[in-house]
Amino acid sequence: MRTIGILGGGQLGRMLALAGYPLGLRFRFLDPSPQACAGDVGELIVGDYSDPQVLAQFVAGLDCVTYEFENVPLDAASTLATFCPVYPPPAALATAQSRLIEKQFFSRLNIPVVPFVPIDDTSDLDHARHELGLPMLFKLRRYGYDGKGQVVIRTADELPHAWAELNSEPVLAERLIPFERELSLIAVRSLRGTMAYYPLIENLHQGGILHRSLVPAMPPQHALQLEAETYARRVLDALDYVGVLVLEFFQLDGHLIINEMAPRVHNSGHWTIEGAETSQFENHLRAILGLPLGATTLRGHVAMLNLIGSVPDLAAVLKFAGTHLHTYNKAPRAGRKVGHITVRADDPATLQQMLADVAQVVG
Ligand code: AMP
C-alpha cells in the first residue's frame, strides 16, 4: 500500500485523501494546527514545516510528497525531496510564491499579463503612475490570498497612503483592468508527461473570496478554451510539472490575460468531484503516481457554491435533488471557507432554478 504525504491539512488535503482511498492509498498530513480538518481522514502530524525533526518524522515511510497550499517553505520542500519524490516540483512553488517572479515568468512565456511595476521604494511610486495610469492596484508580493494584502488606488494622492497601508513592504503595482469575467483552467500533467484539461470555469468573487464557480463557461472547442490550454501547456512544460496546476485568467475583449497560478488543486475545481468524469483530486493523485489520467469530461451543467462563515442545515440543502453538500468540519468564523455545495443539472435553465432554490437556504 502506498502512503502519500501532504503538506497542509486543510480541506484540499482532506478532499485529496477522500479521492485516494478508492485507489488504495494512505495519507499522512503535516500541519502546524492540531485542529487541521484533514486530521479527520488521515494521520496528522502537528508541527512546524521548518523543523527538521518534524520533517524527518513526517517523511519516514512515505512514497511521495505533495502539498495543498503554495506557501510551503521552499527549504522544507527541498529537504523532503532528498528523501522521496515531491510533486509538483519545488520550482513551481518558488514561482508561485512571489507575484513578481510569477508575472515575470508568464511574460517570458509570452502569456499576456496586466501591465505591472514592482514597487520597492517611494521613487517607484511615480514610475508606476506614469507606466500604469490610474486606477491601479497594489498587491503584496507574498502571502496574499482571498484578496488580502491588496489596495485599490484611484487618485495620485492615494499612492503613498496605499503603500503605507501595506507597511511599505515590496508590492506589485498592477493596472486595474475592467475585465468582463474571471475564468480558471484546471490542467494536469502526469509523471509520464501526459496532459489533460478541464473545461474553463467561470468564477464569481465577493469581497475577494471565491463565491461561486460555473461550468461550462462556454461551448466546447471555444477559442478561449484553446487559448487557455495553449498557455497552460507552456507553463507545464517550462516547469516540467507533475500534478494539477490551476491558471486564473481575466477575460477581456475576447482574449485571456493571466492573473496567477496555483501549483495545487483549487477551490474553483471542487465541482469536479460530482461534475466531472474524474475529479481534480483523483487526477492529481493519478498524475503524481504516474498512473493514467482520468477523463476530464463534464457531467452536465454544474455550479459550486462556497459556504463561507457557516454551514447551513444539512437536511434543508439535501432535500434538493442533484445537490451535494461538503462540510469540512472547520470551526465557523466570518470569512472562513467551511464547506461547499455542488449543484448538477442537465441544462443551464434547470441549473439556474436549482441554484436559486439552494441560495434561499444558504442565504
Ligand atoms: P488575486 O489575489 O490576484 O487573485 O486578486 C483578487 C481579486 O482582485 C481577483 O479575483 C480580481 O477580482 C481582482 N483583481 C486582481 N487583479 C486585478 C487587476 N489587475 N485588475 C482588476 N481586478 C483585479
Side-chain angles (χ1 to χ4, degrees):
M1 182 172 283
R2 286 188 274 200
T3 306
I4 313 284
I6 301 182
L7 294 166
Q11 63 266 22
L12 297 171
R14 185 180 165 105
M15 287 184 265
L16 277 168
L18 293 173
Y21 289 128
L23 301 175
L25 304 173
R26 279 201 184 131
F27 293 88
R28 181 184 298 155
F29 302 95
L30 175 58
D31 196 286
S33 167
Q35 276 92 42
C37 70
D40 288 351
V41 299
E43 179 190 355
L44 173 66
I45 294 181
V46 178
D48 198 291
Y49 298 116
S50 44
D51 182 334
Q53 276 186 335
V54 168
L55 291 179
Q57 184 195 355
F58 171 68
V59 80
L62 293 181
D63 292 278
C64 174
V65 166
T66 188
Y67 37 89
E68 59 120 52
F69 78 116
E70 60 268 38
N71 287 321
V72 171
L74 265 184
D75 282 353
S78 307
T79 302
L80 292 168
T82 62
F83 293 98
C84 74
V86 175
Y87 300 123
L93 273 186
T95 308
Q97 282 181 354
S98 157
R99 288 187 189 273
L100 177 60
I101 292 174
E102 188 181 52
K103 286 250 154 53
Q104 290 169 333
F105 169 73
F106 294 142
S107 300
R108 276 201 306 280
L109 295 178
N110 285 321
I111 305 177
V113 292
V114 292
F116 65 92
V117 168
I119 308 276
D120 289 294
D121 56 54
T122 37
S123 64
D124 296 323
L125 295 176
D126 266 350
H127 175 59
R129 186 162 66 104
H130 188 256
E131 284 289 309
L132 306 177
L134 290 165
M136 72 170 92
L137 188 65
F138 280 176
K139 297 180 175 179
L140 280 181
R141 288 190 205 165
R142 294 188 61 113
Y143 305 123
Y145 67 98
D146 286 347
K148 292 189 176 68
Q150 301 196 5
V151 183
V152 175
I153 298 117
R154 298 197 180 274
T155 66
D157 298 347
E158 289 170 12
L159 273 168
H161 304 294
W163 198 34
E165 212 177 299
L166 296 172
N167 299 322
S168 307
E169 283 184 44
V171 297
L172 192 67
E174 288 181 12
R175 183 176 295 160
L176 193 76
I177 58 157
F179 59 79
E180 288 140 24
R181 54 182 186 160
E182 295 186 76
L183 300 166
S184 59
L185 181 79
I186 303 177
V188 55
R189 182 171 184 272
S190 94
L191 201 47
R192 301 165 170 209
T194 323
M195 297 181 220
Y197 309 93
Y198 289 83
L200 273 169
I201 305 156
E202 177 170 359
N203 298 313
L204 303 165
H205 294 84
Q206 275 182 3
I209 303 181
L210 181 66
H211 171 60
R212 218 178 247 211
S213 295
L214 286 162
V215 270
M218 60 202 62
Q221 297 300 314
H222 191 282
L224 286 182
Q225 178 77 30
L226 303 180
E227 194 175 318
E229 292 182 11
T230 303
Y231 296 151
R233 201 169 304 121
R234 283 182 207 164
V235 176
L236 293 170
D237 284 338
L239 293 169
D240 203 10
Y241 197 89
V242 177
V244 161
L245 170 83
V246 177
L247 301 184
E248 294 187 63
F249 296 104
F250 300 125
Q251 180 181 336
L252 182 64
D253 298 333
H255 284 286
L256 296 176
I257 296 170
I258 196 159
N259 181 31
E260 59 184 354
M261 70 179 201
R264 55 169 169 82
V265 287
H266 194 255
N267 191 176
S268 69
H270 289 0
W271 60 270
T272 58
I273 297 174
E274 294 91 5
E277 195 62 36
T278 316
S279 77
Q280 62 164 348
F281 302 101
E282 181 175 337
N283 258 339
H284 181 72
L285 297 169
R286 289 185 185 214
I288 65 176
L289 293 171
L291 297 167
L293 296 179
T296 52
T297 31
L298 269 178
R299 300 168 71 209
H301 292 258
V302 195
M304 189 279 315
L305 213 64
N306 262 340
L307 298 174
I308 297 164
S310 64
V311 177
D313 177 53
L314 295 192
V317 175
L318 297 177
K319 73 179 181 205
F320 298 114
T323 301
H324 306 268
L325 189 141
H326 297 247
T327 168
Y328 311 147
N329 277 352
K330 284 164 67 175
R333 199 193 302 145
R336 194 176 203 201
K337 294 173 183 168
V338 289
H340 73 268
I341 295 173
T342 302
V343 182
R344 202 160 62 84
D346 290 334
D347 60 84
T350 311
L351 182 73
Q352 288 307 325
Q353 183 53 53
M354 290 166 74
L355 273 175
D357 291 342
V358 172
Q360 283 204 333
V361 177
V362 175

